[in-house]
Amino acid sequence: MHIAILTFEGYNELDSLIALGVLNRIKTDDWRVTIATPGPKVTSMNGVVIEQMSGLEEACTADAVIVGSGIATREVVEDPAIMNVLRRLDPSRQLIAAQCSGALVLARLGLLDDIPACTDLITKPWVVAAGVEVLDQPFYAKGNIATAGGCLASHYLAAWIIARLEGKEAADGALHYVAPVGEKEEYMERAWRNIAPYLPAPAPALV
């Protein structure tokens, strides 16, 4: 499994790197998580430079993709070189998630048609202007598309992806590891309260 976190110039560290950390709690041999960037390096909104682990083209073939957030998302959606590549994203064959202003990217790609979204409060007017209903909640998913609003909702996206690809038990383990000591049950209960309604119903047992 390859999970790519799209990370652009001016990225928000919390959005990309929290998801990276939670997703990497899965330690199976075929599990690979990468920071996917347009070029060899990107610099965060606070000056943190990270190197490319995969390119955008490879990300479009990944099993799951998180579109990260940042201060330059409006510039990203106006960049034909980036958007033409991202038009290869396809929810019929991959999980696609967006964190905060990443929802604007999905909106401009036409992936949120008739699907409401979550995003951060700064990005909300731009997503609404793109014709998408914005929900006042941290997480929402429909089918293979999910969105989260607020930096500290990024672990919801990561847990949703793990649950979809590896099962709820694996997602439980990842969430339990990163949750604060003394508050683990509280954090996990809140996480599943937000995520569980949007997971596919389990198949009925054969009798």
Side-chain angles (χ1 to χ4, degrees):
M1 293 289 180
H2 177 203
I3 300 91
I5 303 171
L6 305 189
T7 304
F8 304 103
E9 195 68 22
Y11 73 93
N12 185 316
E13 304 93 338
L14 296 176
D15 292 344
S16 288
L17 300 183
I18 289 177
L20 179 75
V22 176
L23 288 164
N24 269 315
R25 296 310 308 163
I26 304 301
K27 300 299 184 183
T28 57
D29 291 340
D30 66 343
W31 187 265
R32 176 178 172 236
V33 186
T34 65
I35 296 291
T37 63
K41 296 180 180 180
V42 288
T43 303
S44 78
M45 59 193 296
N46 293 306
V48 178
V49 179
I50 54 175
E51 296 184 356
Q52 181 185 73
M53 299 171 68
S54 65
L56 299 185
E57 294 83 358
E58 183 181 359
C60 289
T61 68
D63 299 282
V65 177
I66 295 177
V67 182
S69 184
I71 59 173
T73 304
R74 284 187 293 176
E75 287 80 0
V76 168
V77 298
E78 298 298 336
D79 188 328
I82 292 176
M83 296 299 284
N84 286 339
V85 173
L86 297 186
R87 293 188 195 286
R88 302 174 199 167
L89 293 173
D90 183 356
S92 71
R93 58 175 175 79
Q94 59 192 164
L95 301 179
I96 299 175
Q99 176 68 40
C100 290
S101 65
L104 181 60
V105 176
L106 297 193
R108 293 290 288 270
L109 290 172
L111 295 176
L112 295 179
D113 292 349
D114 301 319
I115 300 177
C118 302
T119 190
D120 63 278
L121 298 181
I122 293 175
T123 305
K124 179 179 178 178
W126 311 329
V127 177
V128 170
V132 176
E133 177 190 359
V134 173
L135 302 172
D136 185 24
Q137 61 190 61
F139 178 84
Y140 179 83
K142 182 177 181 180
N144 287 344
I145 295 179
T147 53
C151 301
L152 296 182
S154 55
H155 65 299
Y156 294 164
L157 288 184
W160 176 77
I161 287 174
I162 295 171
R164 290 291 308 272
L165 297 179
E166 292 289 317
K168 185 178 182 297
E169 184 177 348
D172 265 334
L175 286 174
H176 189 272
Y177 180 87
V178 301
V181 172
E183 299 179 343
K184 290 186 181 294
E185 296 307 316
E186 175 187 347
Y187 266 70
M188 292 177 66
E189 180 183 351
R190 181 167 59 244
W192 288 119
R193 188 167 64 244
N194 284 290
I195 301 166
Y198 307 109
L199 291 173
L206 297 177
V207 294

